[in-house]
Amino acid sequence: MDYGSHTRRTATTDAPFGVMSDQGWRDLDLAGLDEVLDGQRDNGASYSVTPTCFIPAADEAGSARVLAAATAQANRLRRQDMVLLVPCSWRWLRRTSLSFLAEQIRACRHPVALVMQADGDPLERNQAAEGLRRLCRSCPRLVLWRTDLAAFDAMAHGALGAAVGGSAALRHGVAPRPDKGGGGHKAYPVVLVRRLLRYHRVATLQDWFAHIAPWTCDCLVCRGAALTRFTDRKADTIAALQHSVCELYALHEELDATLVGDERTGWWRQQLADAWEYHRLLAALTGTEVSFPKVLQAWRRQSPMALPRAQEQPGHDRAGPS
């Protein structure tokens, strides 16, 4: 359950959690938070997720104290069925802030679900992809939330799990919008192209394959049909989503069959190498320029080391990031 509170309000040290109800916005004290989490479980959720408000960028005044307050309040709940949602700016992945973020995640007695907010893909920002890898290597109970194929890079580097968004608007965090929440989005057919390890608008695929036979897919939805067949009709939009889900689970099945460690990272490196070759093949077949995304380039680089513990860092300032 994700209430989307982080799309409506910015967290404070006094009120890191809150929900929008029929009666309006409600800041949650510890008892109110416990009540909301109980409600999720009573309605059939396997585990409860905190309705955390947005945590500002690490270089904004007081943001470190806000993050620490959310962790401290979550730790006061002696539950075994909850996840602390940490929706924050991608800037927390920069080197100057990463150690403090990791320290807070390690200090949490519950698994932590991380949402990275940015305009566009947060992992295309400077230092973000490397920072997330280091975080996953350092925090074994980390879950990547509202993400895309970064789910697989994260899990290959030690993350506990991931939640991939069903639409582009749910594949990264968004800045708080008090009046309209997370906002709507125009329904247009987007498909996961497994060979490229990318989501693409069907219109782009139709342009690429205008003069040659289009790529097909053998998933349970497509059954050998062309990936260019989807239209903006509701039925096709749903079918495109179902196709993407099938491809995600196929990838996950392969990942799950590997051993954690070198075998898993080796499997992921091979997926990235194959995607690189398919980008080159597609460009040659279509006679068009097919760019290899920055984030895939970043994932092909050498994996970084885990972060040292706070006590291992000379001159570490526990008050927050520099």
Side-chain angles (χ1 to χ4, degrees), residues 24-39:
W25 181 259
R26 175 189 172 199
D27 289 332
L28 296 175
D29 58 14
L30 204 63
L33 177 59
D34 212 21
E35 176 187 348
V36 166
L37 299 179
D38 281 340

Side-chain angles (χ1 to χ4, degrees), residues 2-316:
D2 185 342
Y3 285 93
S5 299
H6 49 95
T7 70
R8 296 178 179 274
R9 292 287 193 278
T10 298
T12 65
T13 53
D14 294 330
F17 308 106
V19 293
M20 180 63 75
S21 67
D22 293 339
Q23 289 74 43
W25 181 259
R26 175 189 172 199
D27 289 332
L28 296 175
D29 58 14
L30 204 63
L33 177 59
D34 212 21
E35 176 187 348
V36 166
L37 299 179
D38 281 340
Q40 294 180 36
R41 297 284 280 131
D42 291 344
N43 281 283
S46 300
Y47 55 88
S48 53
V49 180
T50 59
T52 317
C53 300
F54 178 69
I55 298 172
D59 50 8
E60 292 188 24
S63 61
R65 291 191 296 273
V66 172
L67 176 58
T71 304
Q73 288 199 32
N75 282 346
R76 292 174 63 188
L77 295 178
R78 314 303 290 182
R79 304 178 69 109
Q80 303 297 323
D81 62 352
M82 66 171 277
V83 171
L84 171 63
L85 187 68
V86 176
C88 57
S89 166
W90 70 271
R91 290 182 175 87
W92 278 101
L93 295 177
R94 296 188 298 189
R95 298 183 192 102
T96 54
S97 314
L98 190 62
S99 293
F100 186 77
L101 175 60
E103 184 180 341
Q104 291 301 308
I105 293 173
R106 287 166 171 161
C108 187
R109 63 187 303 271
H110 312 284
V112 171
L114 184 71
V115 181
M116 304 312 304
Q117 177 272 334
D119 294 329
D121 188 344
L123 296 185
E124 289 192 348
R125 304 303 181 95
N126 186 37
Q127 303 179 22
E130 178 186 357
L132 182 58
R133 279 184 164 182
R134 297 193 74 190
L135 200 64
C136 292
R137 284 194 177 278
S138 309
C139 305
R141 291 192 302 162
L142 179 68
V143 176
L144 198 56
W145 197 262
R146 287 201 181 205
T147 191
D148 51 20
L149 290 172
F152 295 95
D153 192 78
M155 293 176 70
H157 288 83
L160 176 65
V164 178
S167 68
L170 297 176
R171 287 195 276 270
H172 60 81
V174 298
R177 300 186 179 107
D179 295 330
K180 297 182 180 179
H185 68 279
K186 177 177 171 54
Y188 52 80
V190 173
V191 294
L192 173 57
V193 183
R194 165 74 183 270
R195 287 181 244 196
L196 302 179
L197 291 181
R198 296 175 65 179
Y199 286 90
H200 271 295
R201 294 193 184 197
V202 174
T204 301
L205 300 182
Q206 291 170 345
D207 288 342
W208 282 343
F209 294 104
H211 304 295
I212 62 173
W215 281 353
T216 60
C217 174
D218 294 325
C219 77
L220 293 175
V221 174
C222 296
R223 299 183 183 276
L227 287 174
T228 54
R229 73 187 187 280
F230 301 104
T231 70
D232 58 1
R233 292 186 303 113
K234 183 177 181 179
D236 275 355
T237 301
I238 293 173
L241 174 59
Q242 292 171 330
H243 150 82
S244 296
V245 170
C246 284
E247 292 290 74
L248 285 170
Y249 276 107
L251 270 170
H252 179 263
E253 186 175 353
E254 290 185 19
L255 176 140
D256 198 43
T258 63
L259 296 174
V260 174
D262 290 344
E263 182 179 342
R264 181 159 294 180
T265 53
W267 168 84
W268 181 236
R269 280 195 296 269
Q270 186 59 56
Q271 303 305 306
L272 293 165
D274 291 346
W276 167 258
E277 292 301 329
Y278 274 119
H279 276 80
R280 294 178 59 190
L281 174 63
L282 182 61
L285 289 174
T286 61
T288 59
E289 182 178 351
V290 181
S291 62
F292 195 66
K294 290 181 180 179
V295 66
L296 294 185
Q297 295 177 38
W299 289 341
R300 294 197 73 197
R301 298 186 191 121
Q302 187 72 22
S303 298
M305 299 294 291
L307 292 160
R309 295 279 179 173
Q311 59 268 28
E312 300 171 7
Q313 301 179 48
H316 178 75

